[in-house]
Amino acid sequence: MRQNAATGQEDFLLGVEKSVTGRAWKTRPVEFRVVQAIAQAQGVPEIVARVVAGRGIGIEEAEAFLNPTLRAALPDPSLFQDMDKACARLADAVIKNEKIAVFGDYDVDGATSSALFKRFLRAVGRDCLIYIPDRLREGYGPNSAALLGLKEQGVDLVVTVDCGIVSFEPLQAAQEAGLEVIVVDHHQAEPHLPAAVAVVNPNRLDEPGGYGQLAAIGVSFLVIVGLNRELRRRNWYAQQGFPEPDLMQWLDLVALGTICDVVPLTGVNRALVAQGLKVMARRDNPGLRALADVAGLRETPGTYHAGFLIGPRVNAGGRVGRCDAGSRILSTDDEEEARQLADELHHYNMERQAIEQAVLEQAQNQIAARIGPAGEVPPVIITHGQGWHPGVIGIVAGRLKEFYQRPTFVIGLDDEGIGKGSGRSIPGVDLGAAVTAARQQGILINGGGHAMAAGLTVASTRLKELETFLASRLAAHVTEALSGLSLKLDGALAAEAVKPELVELLQQVGPYGQGNPQPRFALAQMKVSFATVVGQNHVKCALQGPDGATVKAIAFRCADQPLGQLILNKVGQRIHVAGTLKISHWNGQVSAELFIEDAAETL
């Protein structure tokens, strides 16, 4: 976006000041000089250089951005507080053959972290027990009964992964029982840390900063790097007579967990995912291979496949089935077990989709009834229902957040009037900090998270108080975030430019995800020659540009929303569309397809 010299008014791409989703279309600002310099220095086409520059990457940074390496990006594990203590204690446990348990979360980040520890310990001649709490019976994170149960089983050391940073009472109970615990987490910490041998978390308040974007799997990988180094220092491998394991072989797990936890794919995360996707493409992990097969993945995996095909199936066990199924499939080397677990998770995923749709419809009806046809949407949306499955509330919160463009909580209430909730936020609004503040105020039974996602436990009698507290705390932040609501675009394309060759060129700027969004382009004056509803509320269409070229396109989950309705009602007419490009493989043919994210009527 820029100002028009004659009018002093801001220019919007294709003149779209307010699209059908209420957003202005703004071009990412770039300096033509920088684009040319990047293109020349890196030997890339100008469109690739423009995308790089549009992400704020300068001429000197472009080489590292286009070719991310762990050698350059991976920090020394010892930089982190308590890391050396954690690695020393783990090395003691390995050498003394103590019984180790990994206590993980039931999402992909927790499952990959748990599987990584198990695979490393097996590779150094040891093993560990993996404990994943039952979502319905135990909820999120360590609980006293589970930890004390592990102690009774003879466990000497517990490593919590993707959880534990605010588990004060359970970890205190473990310490009093003589059970040692190492916390490996990435969620927001408080000034007071839980009772543990070591707390490794880049989001500790006493960390110097710079690595807070790491997912738990990234932190776990750094712990493994440090532990491997400590075992080497103690001459473990020479004494045992086997070589050090190649830690790079498990980067497929690191990439999957990082992508699925939707952390920024910048800095070290970018290098971990870039290298991890290469490992994933080798299909060495039996569980990942089985999941890819059951999902119908026949092409080289990218962030989309990890985030939308493999990840949801790993997650499905923790949402509606067996909570340990995800960690089991990622840690097994048994081909038959991997196939059986993949089939099981595939069916759990289909069950999850049905439950999710039912909860989504109830939540939408509740919100619509509350705000009315012309009512003002509150700064924070809280919706709740009796018996809503806790395994889908996070996904539903994400759907509602996208539709209403407000931080949203979805809360499922049990028969005792206790609600388990999951929240999703919009850029610029720190939900995790707000939930932590609500817990410190005594409004919540429990709660925590990070900027874009949070979880909580609350009594039904305090829901109104919670809504008032969050609205008061976040209203100004929401208003500010909405004032800049726009769709950032990397430029406009002619229909004839939408080809597989262009998509392949743009892959040089990947991996894409949070913090490095997929390039988005606008296509002007596209005639909707065909449109229909397919699958779960998707709108599939064919578009024809003024140049006569045809583009296949699809808009997801929007048939009953303004975006879908505009496309369906404009058959035979022209509209502006904007979205991302993907390569489509169908019946042996390769083509480029537009994933429509927004649209606007032509002037």
Side-chain angles (χ1 to χ4, degrees), residues 324-340:
D324 66 345
S327 60
R328 284 181 59 199
I329 194 170
L330 297 176
S331 60
T332 186
D333 285 325
D334 185 300
E335 298 282 353
E336 183 57 32
E337 181 185 24
R339 283 193 293 270
Q340 290 176 357

Side-chain angles (χ1 to χ4, degrees), residues 35-59:
V35 172
Q36 284 187 313
I38 291 175
Q40 183 175 12
Q42 303 304 320
V44 297
E46 187 173 302
I47 191 168
V48 172
R50 179 180 177 82
V51 172
V52 171
R55 275 135 188 80
I57 305 301
I59 300 169

Side-chain angles (χ1 to χ4, degrees), residues 3-351:
Q3 280 200 333
N4 186 292
T7 65
Q9 299 296 310
E10 293 179 336
D11 283 344
F12 299 92
L13 188 60
L14 303 182
V16 178
E17 190 171 351
K18 188 174 182 181
S19 70
V20 70
T21 64
R23 293 179 287 186
W25 288 6
K26 300 179 181 179
T27 306
R28 294 182 185 277
V30 297
E31 291 185 35
F32 185 59
R33 174 189 62 82
V34 174
V35 172
Q36 284 187 313
I38 291 175
Q40 183 175 12
Q42 303 304 320
V44 297
E46 187 173 302
I47 191 168
V48 172
R50 179 180 177 82
V51 172
V52 171
R55 275 135 188 80
I57 305 301
I59 300 169
E60 295 180 355
E61 305 164 293
E63 169 66 26
F65 185 83
L66 287 168
N67 301 287
T69 65
L70 287 176
R71 181 182 296 276
L74 197 69
D76 182 340
S78 295
L79 290 175
F80 296 88
Q81 298 287 343
D82 279 5
M83 178 66 83
D84 290 343
K85 287 199 295 185
C87 293
R89 181 63 187 89
L90 280 163
D92 289 343
V94 169
I95 292 169
K96 296 175 184 178
N97 199 19
E98 293 180 284
K99 191 169 185 178
I100 302 171
V102 176
F103 195 110
D105 189 18
Y106 31 62
D107 68 358
V108 181
D109 198 13
T112 52
S113 298
S114 301
L116 176 64
F117 268 95
K118 189 172 185 69
R119 285 190 171 278
F120 176 80
L121 289 171
R122 279 207 309 252
V124 299
R126 297 293 185 250
D127 203 352
C128 67
L129 181 157
I130 292 179
Y131 189 96
I132 307 294
D134 184 273
R135 185 189 288 263
L136 296 179
R137 291 188 297 102
E138 300 175 270
Y140 166 80
N143 62 84
S144 299
L147 291 175
L148 296 179
L150 291 171
K151 174 66 175 175
E152 291 176 3
Q153 294 178 48
V155 169
D156 301 295
L157 177 65
V158 172
V159 182
T160 72
V161 291
D162 197 27
C163 57
I165 193 63
V166 293
S167 301
F168 300 109
E169 293 181 10
L171 267 62
Q172 184 64 42
Q175 186 182 70
E176 291 171 358
L179 178 63
E180 293 188 284
V181 178
I182 293 172
V183 174
V184 178
D185 204 350
H186 73 126
H187 294 101
Q188 289 180 344
E190 297 186 19
H192 173 61
L193 296 175
V197 173
V199 178
V200 183
N201 184 338
N203 286 304
R204 281 176 50 158
L205 299 185
D206 56 352
E207 283 286 351
Y211 295 99
Q213 79 272 31
L214 282 165
I217 182 62
V219 183
S220 296
F221 184 72
L222 286 169
V223 173
I224 295 300
V225 172
L227 173 55
N228 183 64
R229 183 172 63 186
E230 180 66 12
L231 289 172
R232 182 196 313 132
R233 189 185 69 80
R234 297 192 191 187
N235 213 29
W236 170 255
Y237 297 113
Q239 291 174 2
Q240 297 303 307
F242 53 72
E244 288 185 33
D246 176 12
L247 305 188
M248 301 300 105
Q249 67 182 303
W250 300 310
L251 285 177
D252 49 5
L253 296 177
V254 182
L256 180 64
T258 301
I259 293 165
C260 292
D261 217 51
V262 201
V263 292
L265 295 191
T266 56
V268 63
N269 284 346
R270 180 172 171 78
L272 288 169
V273 170
Q275 302 306 318
L277 288 173
K278 295 176 184 177
V279 177
M280 193 181 295
R282 302 203 308 246
R283 291 169 55 92
D284 291 337
N285 185 301
L288 285 175
R289 185 165 62 247
L291 286 166
D293 290 343
V294 80
L297 176 56
R298 300 288 182 267
E299 56 196 279
T300 302
T303 53
Y304 170 80
H305 307 100
F308 293 96
L309 295 182
I310 297 175
R313 287 168 171 81
V314 174
N315 249 336
R319 294 191 183 280
V320 300
R322 286 193 297 155
C323 289
D324 66 345
S327 60
R328 284 181 59 199
I329 194 170
L330 297 176
S331 60
T332 186
D333 285 325
D334 185 300
E335 298 282 353
E336 183 57 32
E337 181 185 24
R339 283 193 293 270
Q340 290 176 357
L341 285 168
D343 288 338
E344 185 178 327
L345 287 167
H346 181 66
H347 286 97
Y348 283 147
N349 193 48
M350 290 191 292
E351 181 182 349

